[in-house]
């Protein structure tokens, strides 16, 4: 697989983003949804910020309070035996079998714009900011699908009651309509196909079953983009392979003669995130035709290997021009990069499923 990483990578880094308040620092500008608008490439960035801590022994967790519309800041001492700080992304309670208690940063969505796809100008203000009780830990990992003149943006809404997928829409990247939570917890990695197929909209989603099942990919149908049904299990983890631990949809599916090409992420159980592809039937995208046995992109460059959470390449959006797939992707939960791949080469690299 020929992968051309831009020389300017990483294209957007935390240092390029002005914090939204003076007592905060930006630690991540990554996992952006990508689309085009008015002749420009738009990144809907996930920006992660945390309160500046003058004392290296103190970690501060920012939490949005929907009643006051303000952030509250909780402080923890790193030597507090009640908590586990080993994963830099989260604070866990020691002895608890539950997931995390707090996140160490708050994410929201911010826009970056570019004429050439290489150099981006970042808006001064947040674009979508936590605004309700299901978003108190932040909003993350947007995917943008354009249908007619409307851009639909799904993102993870994170709060103590779980991580679900909410939807907003916009026509101009200024005014935003909120549609609420569409996929209840736990669900992530939701994206919708760019057109109706046989009269129905389709969405990929990634529930995390508890008593039985794994974090794997599902597909659902809708007639209005708000209510989804006829859920089908689509694609599963593969032991011993690059997608053995968890997986989820990435870019909006690309329509090709051979089928819908979906670029998805897979991680091993030790959290090494790669990108691969799956080809879905054009007429019935719940049918899997072919799939990557090897990743099409894996963390190799230093900015992919090292960072806030290293060994991660994670794409939420691509721009396709002819045979060129410009895959934008988050690196090491820190910055944004882009790599160009050949659409035909990706399709030719897939293993057909009998
Ligand atoms: C995981 C990581 C984090 C994210 C939380 C909540 O721990 O993906 O980056 O903030 O989940 O979604």
């Amino acid at each position: 697989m020929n992968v051309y990483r831009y020389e300017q990578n990483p294209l957007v880094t935390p240092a390029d983003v002005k914090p939204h308040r003076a007592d905060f620092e930006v630690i991540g500008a990554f996992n952006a949804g990508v689309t085009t608008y008015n002749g420009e490439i738009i990144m809907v960035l996930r920006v992660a910020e945390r309160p500046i801590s003058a004392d290296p022994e103190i970690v501060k967790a920012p939490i949005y309070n929907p009643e006051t519309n303000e952030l509250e800041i909780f402080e923890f001492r790193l030597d507090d035996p009640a908590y586990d700080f080993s994963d830099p992304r989260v604070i866990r309670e020691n002895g608890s079998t539950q997931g995390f208690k707090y996140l160490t940063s708050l994410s929201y969505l911010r826009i970056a714009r570019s004429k050439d796809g290489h150099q981006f100008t970042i808006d001064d203000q947040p674009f979508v900011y936590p605004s309700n009780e299901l978003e108190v830990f932040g909003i993350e990992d947007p995917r943008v699908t354009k249908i007619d003149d409307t851009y639909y943006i799904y993102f993870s809404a994170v709060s103590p009651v779980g991580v679900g997928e909410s939807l907003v829409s916009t026509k101009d990247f200024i005014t935003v309509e909120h549609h609420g939570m569409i996929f209840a917890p736990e669900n992530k990695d939701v994206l919708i196909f760019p057109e109706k197929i046989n009269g129905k909209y389709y969405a990929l989603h990634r529930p995390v079953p508890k008593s039985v099942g794994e974090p794997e990919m599902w597909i659902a149908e809708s007639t209005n983009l708000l209510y989804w049904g006829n859920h089908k299990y689509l694609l599963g983890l593969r032991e011993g392979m690059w997608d053995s631990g968890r997986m989820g949809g990435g870019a909006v599916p690309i329509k090709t003669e051979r089928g819908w090409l979906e670029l998805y992420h897979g991680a091993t159980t030790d959290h090494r995130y790669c990108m691969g592809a799956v080809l879905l039937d054009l007429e019935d995208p719940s049918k899997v035709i072919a799939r990557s046995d090897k990743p099409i992109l894996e963390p190799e460059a230093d900015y992919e290997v090292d960072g806030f959470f290293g060994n991660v390449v994670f794409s939420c959006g691509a721009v396709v021009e002819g045979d060129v797939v410009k895959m934008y992707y988050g690196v090491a939960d820190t910055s944004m990069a882009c790599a160009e791949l050949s659409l035909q080469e990706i399709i030719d690299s897939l293993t057909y499923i009998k």
Side-chain angles (χ1 to χ4, degrees):
M1 181 78 45
N2 289 301
V3 177
Y4 163 55
R5 289 172 168 86
Y6 288 177
E7 286 88 13
Q8 298 94 331
N9 279 350
L11 303 178
V12 176
T13 71
D16 301 326
V17 184
K18 208 173 135 247
H20 80 300
R21 45 188 267 186
D23 55 338
F24 273 51
E25 59 187 347
V26 175
I27 59 162
F30 61 119
N31 298 1
V34 176
T35 189
T36 53
Y37 171 68
N38 268 355
E40 290 189 311
I41 293 185
I42 301 276
M43 278 186 194
V44 179
L45 289 166
R46 168 181 174 187
V47 169
E49 292 192 25
R50 70 180 174 202
I52 294 169
S53 177
D55 180 346
E57 288 306 302
I58 288 180
V59 177
K60 297 181 177 180
I63 296 170
Y64 171 76
N65 181 333
E67 269 143 41
T68 58
N69 202 22
E70 301 278 346
L71 294 184
E72 283 171 16
I73 295 167
F74 291 79
E75 296 197 359
F76 300 87
R77 287 200 62 85
L78 279 179
D79 56 9
D80 187 337
Y83 296 100
D84 169 2
F85 301 97
S86 58
D87 182 332
R89 303 171 300 181
V90 299
I91 300 169
R92 290 199 168 86
E93 264 178 329
N94 265 328
S96 160
T97 51
Q98 302 289 308
F100 58 81
K101 187 83 179 154
Y102 299 103
L103 294 181
T104 52
S105 63
L106 180 103
S107 293
Y108 63 85
L109 310 184
R110 188 128 147 199
I111 290 178
R113 304 160 197 270
S114 174
K115 294 233 183 293
D116 65 5
H118 289 67
Q119 244 174 328
F120 284 82
T121 309
I122 299 150
D123 281 8
D124 279 339
Q125 296 300 322
F127 171 54
V128 183
Y129 195 78
S131 63
N132 62 57
E133 67 285 356
L134 297 177
E135 301 175 350
V136 303
F137 288 160
I139 61 183
E140 308 177 340
D141 302 350
R143 271 75 169 192
V144 188
T145 301
K146 185 182 184 205
I147 299 178
D148 302 326
D149 63 346
T150 304
Y151 295 83
Y152 295 90
I153 306 172
Y154 270 93
F155 55 83
S156 305
V158 190
S159 80
V161 294
V163 186
E165 280 277 331
S166 294
L167 174 67
V168 297
S169 62
T170 183
K171 289 185 196 303
D172 55 10
F173 290 94
I174 299 169
T175 312
V176 176
E177 202 181 326
H178 289 255
H179 305 283
M181 186 168 279
I182 312 288
F183 288 86
E186 181 166 335
N187 212 313
K188 281 186 172 182
D189 307 320
V190 170
L191 52 94
I192 50 183
F193 285 64
E195 60 185 69
K196 279 186 175 170
I197 302 163
N198 294 322
K200 287 178 201 132
Y201 295 109
Y202 282 85
L204 300 178
H205 64 107
R206 204 291 305 275
V208 183
K210 265 269 155 68
S211 53
V212 62
E214 300 282 353
E216 299 177 319
M217 283 164 67
W218 289 64
I219 189 163
E221 298 171 6
S222 173
T223 51
N224 63 8
L225 296 172
L226 297 177
Y227 298 94
W228 295 89
N230 198 20
H231 295 262
K232 287 180 183 160
Y233 174 83
L234 184 69
L235 201 65
L237 302 175
R238 295 177 295 184
E239 222 182 308
M241 293 178 75
W242 62 278
D243 47 6
S244 58
R246 52 204 304 115
M247 64 194 310
V252 173
I254 302 162
K255 195 177 190 180
T256 76
E257 281 172 9
R258 309 290 286 278
W260 291 100
L261 186 74
E262 170 58 11
L263 307 177
Y264 73 95
H265 67 264
T268 53
T269 43
D270 55 359
H271 310 296
R272 183 173 189 265
Y273 280 77
C274 295
M275 291 301 301
V278 60
L279 196 63
L280 306 174
D281 189 280
L282 268 187
E283 295 297 313
D284 176 3
S286 70
K287 287 195 187 130
V288 176
I289 299 172
R291 181 175 181 186
S292 299
D293 280 345
K294 293 209 172 71
I296 58 169
L297 183 76
E298 50 191 316
E300 281 166 346
D302 52 1
Y303 50 82
E304 298 163 352
V305 171
D306 302 315
F308 180 70
F309 195 80
N311 282 314
V312 176
V313 294
F314 190 99
S315 177
C316 296
V319 175
V320 181
E321 283 168 15
D323 183 56
V324 181
V325 178
K326 300 177 179 181
M327 185 165 75
Y328 287 87
Y329 60 102
V331 291
D333 280 10
T334 305
S335 301
M336 281 302 297
C338 184
E340 291 185 359
L341 297 96
S342 151
L343 187 58
Q344 194 58 52
E345 257 188 59
I346 298 175
I347 293 174
D348 290 345
S349 74
L350 304 177
T351 302
Y352 282 74
I353 290 159
K354 284 152 233 134

